[in-house]
Amino acid sequence: AADRISWLPPASVRGDVARMVMYMDVRYSGNRQNELDLRLVDCPETDTEMGYLFQLLQWHQEDPVSDAEIKRNNRACERWQ
């Protein structure tokens, strides 16, 4: 990254990282007691806003879901859902 507050993952896992952060947005919706409402936005301004949505969507497109991700997801669904 070009500054001291940003982090840029390797290109080979950017889509994976993007999907992890998108999952956090969906999972932590603030619907439960004492749960934060984490939200993806393009310009984060609060502690519960994460960014940058535009960049994460681009990473998702550039690094599609792999077979390993699909298998991991399927195992999790079989065991816990």
Side-chain angles (χ1 to χ4, degrees):
D3 58 54
R4 302 181 114 197
I5 61 170
S6 298
W7 173 73
L8 187 62
S12 62
V13 295
R14 288 182 189 159
D16 305 50
V17 171
R19 288 181 286 280
M20 289 177 213
V21 176
M22 289 178 204
Y23 170 79
M24 291 175 63
D25 181 327
V26 172
R27 167 60 184 84
Y28 297 99
S29 59
N31 290 334
R32 297 179 182 170
Q33 185 176 3
N34 299 322
E35 179 180 85
L36 295 175
D37 180 10
L38 300 178
R39 295 181 302 131
L40 280 171
V41 297
D42 280 320
C43 296
E45 295 180 1
T46 70
D47 291 343
T48 60
E49 293 179 337
M50 305 178 292
Y52 294 88
L53 179 57
F54 177 81
Q55 184 69 67
L56 294 170
L57 291 170
Q58 183 177 345
W59 288 357
H60 168 66
Q61 292 296 318
E62 292 172 354
D63 177 27
V65 178
S66 67
D67 289 338
E69 284 180 272
I70 293 169
K71 288 177 185 176
R72 181 183 64 229
N73 182 69
N74 290 343
R75 281 194 313 270
C77 288
E78 290 168 2
R79 293 179 184 173
W80 292 290
Q81 294 185 15

